[in-house]
Amino acid sequence: MSASLLREPEVLRDIALGDAPACMALSKAVGWPHRVEDWEMAIGLGGGIVISLGSEIVATASWWPYGETHATLGLIVVSPQHQGAGLGRRLMQGLLARTHGRSLLLNATVAGTPLYERSGFVAWGGAIRQHHGTALAVAGPSLDEGAVLRSMQASDLPLLELLDQAATGLPRGALLRAVMERGEGVVLERSGKAAGFSMLRRFGRGFVIGPVVAADDADARVLVAHWLQARQGEFLRIDLPADSALSDWLVSCGLKAVDCVTSMVRGTLPLARGPVQLHAPASQAFG
């Protein structure tokens, strides 16, 4: 159907959990690997909208609140058959109306950047690069004296929420709980105190590593190497800051560097107090 025929009667409404299969088909049409289960997780964690034409969902967008001041936007998809009809603009208007004046963060593709700029977003200097591939054989994590890497337990979550907030400036307990429920994690300890953590869950073609929270690149490498060794021969994905010191190492481990997105903000950036940093997000959408 041409864009000229898409004037009425498209309908915009709030997304529902039952929309996950249709949203999966929509994201597959634009080359994204999300499963129905991935969409169900995304819908359950936040809010969103869909635009339908008759019985067909032709566009969707989601948002995830982190406290009362910030949110991330993502999974903004318009069916290839209906692009150029102004649906992206309607999605953004719907998201802005629903996020109640929060400062908004997103990671923008090249194609999406002009729409976001028109909606008041600006690039803030960050960029995220995706690495994926079949993990090659790697050496186990090399721990310094006094360091311990152990399995994450549900009882760790309150402390890990504090570490994550120190790294991101955002209260993301619901996200961490959702990732743990669907996957597993490891905690890096020194002298009995948590110094960082990483998580892994099923996603798309295989597994995704993230979030990874650590004080420095060396600790982040330990936390990522655990999953590379544990999932050798399986398809893994991780998203990193484009200037990450881990990038070349990951390529040597079989996870090639692919597309890069631009980090944008509408409003103010959250204040991360450190000393730990977010070395890999849970996803490009969640942050």
Side-chain angles (χ1 to χ4, degrees):
M1 182 179 294
S2 68
S4 62
L5 298 179
L6 253 186
R7 294 172 183 158
E8 293 293 340
E10 71 265 22
V11 176
L12 186 149
R13 61 170 173 80
D14 289 327
I15 200 168
L17 194 61
D19 294 322
C23 289
M24 184 276 291
L26 190 61
S27 58
K28 184 178 180 180
V30 296
W32 293 0
H34 298 65
R35 308 167 303 151
V36 170
E37 295 87 348
D38 302 323
W39 273 100
E40 289 174 341
M41 176 182 174
I43 295 169
L45 272 173
I49 51 182
V50 297
I51 297 176
S52 59
L53 185 65
S55 61
E56 179 188 7
I57 290 178
V58 296
T60 187
S62 295
W63 69 282
W64 299 275
Y66 297 126
E68 297 299 319
T69 61
H70 288 80
T72 61
L73 309 184
L75 297 179
I76 300 169
V77 194
V78 176
S79 166
Q81 290 78 18
H82 302 296
Q83 292 178 5
L87 298 188
R89 175 180 50 80
R90 287 199 63 192
L91 289 172
M92 288 303 303
Q93 290 173 342
L95 289 175
L96 294 178
R98 286 162 171 77
T99 49
H100 310 296
R102 288 176 168 87
S103 291
L104 303 175
L105 305 164
L106 60 77
N107 288 306
T109 63
V110 172
T113 297
L115 169 66
Y116 306 137
E117 289 177 337
R118 289 193 296 271
S119 300
F121 288 83
V122 295
W124 58 266
I128 300 293
R129 187 179 306 280
Q130 180 189 150
H131 284 258
H132 69 207
T134 301
L136 303 176
V138 299
S142 178
L143 298 173
D144 53 49
E145 186 176 354
V148 175
L149 194 63
R150 63 166 177 83
S151 296
M152 186 181 295
Q153 306 298 321
S155 58
D156 292 318
L157 276 174
L159 176 58
L160 301 185
E161 290 174 22
L162 293 176
L163 276 176
D164 184 82
Q165 188 162 0
T168 65
L170 299 170
R172 307 198 311 167
L175 172 62
L176 297 184
R177 287 192 296 274
V179 174
M180 176 173 274
E181 288 170 0
R182 293 161 176 80
E184 55 188 317
V186 289
V187 179
L188 179 64
E189 290 185 337
R190 286 196 175 85
S191 303
K193 296 183 179 180
F197 69 90
S198 65
M199 305 176 81
L200 174 137
R201 72 183 190 279
R202 286 197 172 274
F203 172 84
R205 297 167 56 187
F207 296 86
V208 62
I209 301 169
V212 178
V213 170
D216 53 37
D217 292 328
D219 280 358
R221 178 165 170 164
V222 166
L223 289 161
V224 173
H226 169 82
W227 302 117
L228 299 182
Q229 186 186 49
R231 297 291 176 178
Q232 178 186 337
E234 300 189 72
F235 188 87
L236 298 177
R237 169 177 171 167
I238 184 170
D239 297 287
L240 300 173
D243 60 355
S244 172
L246 302 184
S247 185
D248 290 343
W249 170 67
L250 282 169
V251 172
S252 73
C253 296
L255 276 61
K256 64 181 179 180
V258 287
D259 67 311
C260 193
V261 293
T262 300
S263 299
M264 305 187 77
V265 63
R266 185 181 191 270
T268 61
L269 290 170
L271 179 61
R273 67 179 185 273
V276 290
Q277 303 169 19
L278 184 68
H279 290 263
S283 73
Q284 291 184 9
F286 296 146

